[in-house]
Amino acid sequence: MSLINGLPAHVLLVHFVVVLIPLTALALVICAVRPTAAQRLGVVLPLLALVTLALVPLTTNAGEWLERHVDSDALVRRHAELGDGLLPWAGGLFVLAAVVWWTARRAAASGSGTPGSARGSGTAVRVAAAVLSVLVAGGAVVDVYRIGDSGAKAAWHDAFSTSSSGGGDGDEG
C-alpha cells in the first residue's frame, strides 16, 4: 500500500496507530487490573489489540515506501529506525490482551469471577499479567511518542517559519 487518494498511505495510517496503541494500552491495563472490566469487554480487548498489531506493519511498510520517495536525511532515517521498533510492543500488547481475556473468561466460567475470590495459580497469573501489562503498555505508549516526535521533526523541519508570512505581527486572531 503506497497511496490513498493521492496521499502517501503512511501519512494517513499513522493516525490510526497513534490513536490505537494508547487506546489498546489503556484498555489492557484497566482489564488486567480489574478482571470485571475484562469480563465486560470480553473478546473486544484481544480484537482491538489484533487490529492494532496488524496496522503497525502496514504503517511501517507504507513508511518505507514514503522513505524511498522523499529526500533522505538523518531525521527521516532516525524516524524509520524508531518506527521499526514498534512491532514488538504491539505484539506484546496483543499477547497480553489475549492472556488477560483468557484468564477473565476462565475465572468467569469457574465462578470465581468476583473480586477477591480467585486463588492459587489464577491469582499469580493475573498479578503477573497486570504487572507485565503496565510495563508493556507504558513502553508501547512511550515508543509511539518517540516515533511520532521524530516523524514530526522529519516532516516539519525547515518547512515553516516562526514569523508570519502575511506581514502581520502574529498577534492577529
Side-chain angles (χ1 to χ4, degrees):
M1 185 180 304
S2 56
L3 297 173
I4 298 174
N5 284 341
L7 292 174
H10 180 73
V11 175
L12 300 171
L13 292 172
V14 74
H15 289 86
F16 290 109
V17 173
V18 166
V19 170
L20 289 178
I21 289 282
L23 180 65
T24 303
L26 179 62
L28 174 61
V29 169
I30 289 170
C31 289
V33 172
R34 306 224 8 124
T36 55
Q39 291 169 2
R40 282 190 181 149
L41 206 53
V43 74
V44 171
L45 177 64
L47 289 177
L48 174 65
L50 181 62
V51 168
T52 302
L53 175 61
L55 280 170
V56 170
L58 284 175
T59 305
T60 303
N61 288 338
E64 289 170 355
W65 178 90
L66 181 58
E67 183 182 14
R68 291 188 303 270
H69 290 83
V70 298
D71 293 335
S72 180
D73 69 16
L75 293 174
V76 171
R77 287 189 298 276
R78 175 72 176 143
H79 174 65
E81 289 170 8
L82 287 172
D84 288 338
L86 185 58
L87 188 58
W89 290 112
L93 290 174
F94 172 69
V95 168
L96 286 166
V99 168
V100 167
W101 168 74
W102 180 77
T103 57
R105 187 169 180 238
R106 195 175 109 194
S110 70
S112 63
T114 57
S117 63
R119 287 178 175 67
S121 66
T123 301
V125 170
R126 274 196 10 244
V127 169
V131 169
L132 287 172
S133 294
V134 169
L135 293 173
V136 170
V141 170
V142 167
D143 204 36
V144 163
Y145 171 81
R146 292 177 64 225
I147 295 164
D149 181 61
S150 71
K153 287 177 182 172
W156 289 99
H157 78 285
D158 296 334
F160 70 96
S161 171
T162 56
S163 62
S164 173
S165 63
D169 61 9
D171 292 334
E172 293 146 13

